[in-house]
Amino acid sequence: MAMITVDVAVPDALRPVVDVAALPAALGDAGPAWLVLSEDGRLARWTPTTGEVQGVARYREERLASEGGGVRLRLHVSRCGRWAAVVQDRGRYGTVVDLTTGSPALKLDGGDYCCETVPFALAFAEHGGRPVVVHRTDWNRLDVTDLASGEVLTARDSPDRDEEDAEYDLDYFHGALSLSPDGTRVYDGGWVWQPWGMPAVWSLTAWLHDNPYESEDGPSYAVYPEVSEWNWPVVWIDDGRIAVYDRDDAVSGTVHVLDPTSIELRSPGVRWIKAVATFPWPVGDFGFFTDGEHLLIADEAGMQGIDITSGQQVFAIDGFRPARQDRHTGTLIQVGSANARLWTPPEWTARAG
């Protein structure tokens, strides 16, 4: 496997960089393109291989993020490349921007209850060939909005929290969202009281076609209660495997490999996702990615390719610590103050989410 990385300069016009997210390459582009959020709120399209920079929009949020502090701006881009969202991880607000006009298209409000404990729950998806956005509208509620029309596709009654038997009153704090490679399932890295991580997976197709309550307790909704913490790395390896990290204590942790297609009924109404493998991994500051076959773990020393069954290292790229991955090409990018480093897996299948 080729381990050659490519180093490029970050143009002065983009610095300092807050976050990046992949854009689909336009016809004739010489390599992957990235949307860059700069510290002053500029959103620009950047093609590293040519150095071309094109300003597309500007983000400005005048609402206070939250009272908890620790807010970090996070950038998301739709698969088609028309829509971008800038959200406040560990905060309350966000904005979806139409990159073709540079104008705000949708203001997001995830509610202020314990919002400082989780990233802002958001993921772009497609429904019937149309781009949609899944987003938190309260601490325990997600909705899906059609971006072209503004229609909420998951309209349903809100439960009365004063009624103890409210049927769909979900006691769940929604966390980071990610879609399966085929775009049919949603992973939610949320938590429940008293604080305990509770990853959940459900069918996006069933949610939008059959049951607006699917994200609460639909037939496809299943959880994995074997992790104690949340906000740790997670990645879909393929449609049938999700790698989830959990810290066991201050020095040790475990990678859990889940099969979202394999679910068993543990008790009435509780569907449990099965784990197909687990292996130990020490505690550290790292990210999870994939080349479609291996788990890629990036830490301060570099990136390691890990066999998803045995937990053994297969390859490594020293000194390469990517922060984001392009779903179109698989390219990983590490962005520094003045330079960026990129690496593309030799084989890659484009992903929906």
Side-chain angles (χ1 to χ4, degrees), residues 323-334:
R324 301 299 294 267
Q325 185 167 25
D326 182 349
R327 70 170 69 91
H328 310 280
T329 65
T331 299
L332 293 132
I333 187 169
Q334 171 186 347

Side-chain angles (χ1 to χ4, degrees), residues 268-291:
V270 179
R271 290 168 289 276
W272 196 306
I273 304 166
K274 291 184 179 180
V276 294
T278 60
F279 54 87
W281 199 265
V283 171
D285 181 12
F286 48 78
F288 276 11
F289 306 96
T290 186
D291 59 4

Side-chain angles (χ1 to χ4, degrees), residues 232 245-254 281-286 299:
W232 287 94
Y245 182 79
D246 183 37
R247 187 179 65 176
D248 302 328
D249 53 42
V251 296
S252 65
T254 302
W281 199 265
V283 171
D285 181 12
F286 48 78
D299 59 22

Side-chain angles (χ1 to χ4, degrees), residues 138-269:
D138 205 347
W139 65 275
N140 64 342
R141 180 181 172 120
L142 296 174
D143 279 297
V144 182
T145 300
D146 183 297
L147 288 166
S149 67
E151 179 187 0
V152 177
L153 305 179
T154 50
R156 57 204 188 275
D157 293 334
S158 296
D160 184 349
R161 295 194 58 82
D162 294 331
E163 298 179 8
E164 294 184 1
D165 61 346
E167 184 178 2
Y168 298 110
D169 192 0
L170 192 66
D171 186 17
Y172 187 87
F173 295 81
H174 292 293
L177 305 179
S178 59
L179 261 65
S180 58
D182 66 3
T184 64
R185 290 186 179 89
V186 181
Y187 172 91
D188 189 340
W191 63 279
V192 296
W193 286 109
Q194 283 286 344
W196 189 268
M198 189 70 68
V201 176
W202 66 93
S203 167
L204 178 68
T205 305
W207 193 18
L208 296 180
H209 279 283
D210 305 319
N211 178 22
Y213 296 98
E214 195 72 24
S215 62
E216 274 97 12
D217 68 347
S220 69
Y221 184 90
V223 297
Y224 184 72
E226 290 294 303
V227 299
S228 59
E229 300 194 15
W230 63 102
N231 293 347
W232 287 94
V234 59
V235 66
W236 289 83
I237 304 298
D238 50 37
D239 293 324
R241 293 179 299 177
I242 310 171
V244 180
Y245 182 79
D246 183 37
R247 187 179 65 176
D248 302 328
D249 53 42
V251 296
S252 65
T254 302
V255 175
H256 301 250
V257 183
L258 312 183
D259 179 358
T261 68
S262 182
I263 298 172
E264 62 179 316
L265 191 64
R266 287 292 185 96
S267 61

